[in-house]
Amino acid sequence: MKPEPHALITPPSWTQRLDPGALFPGAGPLEIDVGCGKGRFLLARAAARPDVRFLGIDRLLVRLRRLGRKVDRAGLANVRLLRIEAHYALTYLLPPGSATTVYSFFPDPWPKRRHHKRRLYTPSFLDALHQVLRRDGRIHVATDHADYFEDIRGLFRADPRFAETEPLALEERERTDFELELAGPQSPIYRASFRMRASRPRGKPSHPV
C-alpha cells in the first residue's frame, strides 16, 4: 500500500482550530481552494507563488491522494490538502481571519429546485467566508451554470459585508480540468469576485429568502 502523500494532512483534532503556521513552512498569506478537484489550478498557482501558502479542500479522498502525489513530485512545500466538507472547515477548523483569498470554481449547482438546499452557497456559507477571511480578503467564483451564478451574485450583493470587484483573470495554465472539458461557445463560463469590506457593518446582513 502506497504511503499517504506528504501534502495530504489529517488534523490532530476535528473539533479544534488548525494552526496554519504548524502546517506550512514560512509565514506567507494563506489562500484556500474550495473543491480543488484534480488540482490543475492549484498546482499552477502554487508553483508561481512560492511565498503563498495554499490549502486545497475536497471531499473525494482518491482525488486528493492523486493530487497529493503530484504536489509531492513537484516539490511544492507551500501546498497542503485536506479531505473535509468546505463549510465545516471554514467554520470550525480554520482560525478566524486566517485567509486572504478563497477560490471556489465550479461548485455543484444542484440544478433541481428541491436540491438547492445542498448547494455550497447559502447565507450560512457567506457567514463562514466572513469569519475565515481577513479584512479586504477576496472570494473568486466560477461556474458554468447561469442560474446558480445569478443566485450567488444575489447572495453577495444582498450582504453588506461584501462588495463585488473585477472578476479574477486566469492564465491559461491555471484553468481547471473541468473548465477545459467545457471549453466552447456553447458552454460559457461565468465569473465573479468579491471582497470583504474593511469594516464590519452594524446589524445583521439582509439575506434574501
Side-chain angles (χ1 to χ4, degrees), residues 67-169:
L67 175 54
R69 287 191 283 272
K70 293 178 183 178
V71 170
D72 289 353
R73 286 196 298 269
L76 296 175
N78 60 331
V79 177
R80 295 293 183 268
L81 305 173
L82 182 62
R83 183 201 181 194
I84 196 170
E85 196 273 329
H87 194 299
Y88 185 91
L90 271 57
T91 302
Y92 299 109
L93 286 186
L94 293 168
S98 58
T100 60
T101 309
V102 173
Y103 305 98
S104 174
F105 298 148
F106 306 99
D108 194 328
W110 292 102
K112 295 182 179 178
R113 182 163 294 276
R114 66 177 183 271
H115 293 156
H116 282 189
K117 61 184 178 182
R118 301 181 186 178
R119 286 176 167 177
L120 176 65
Y121 280 91
T122 63
S124 64
F125 186 63
L126 265 62
D127 291 341
L129 288 169
H130 181 260
Q131 176 178 282
V132 79
L133 283 167
R134 296 180 183 178
R135 294 296 169 262
D136 206 38
R138 305 299 166 115
I139 307 101
H140 303 295
V141 183
T143 179
D144 62 317
H145 196 279
D147 291 341
Y148 192 18
F149 179 70
E150 291 305 323
D151 286 348
I152 292 171
R153 291 181 82 189
L155 281 172
F156 277 105
R157 288 175 171 179
D159 193 321
R161 298 173 296 182
F162 301 94
E164 192 164 4
T165 66
E166 286 295 317
L168 177 67

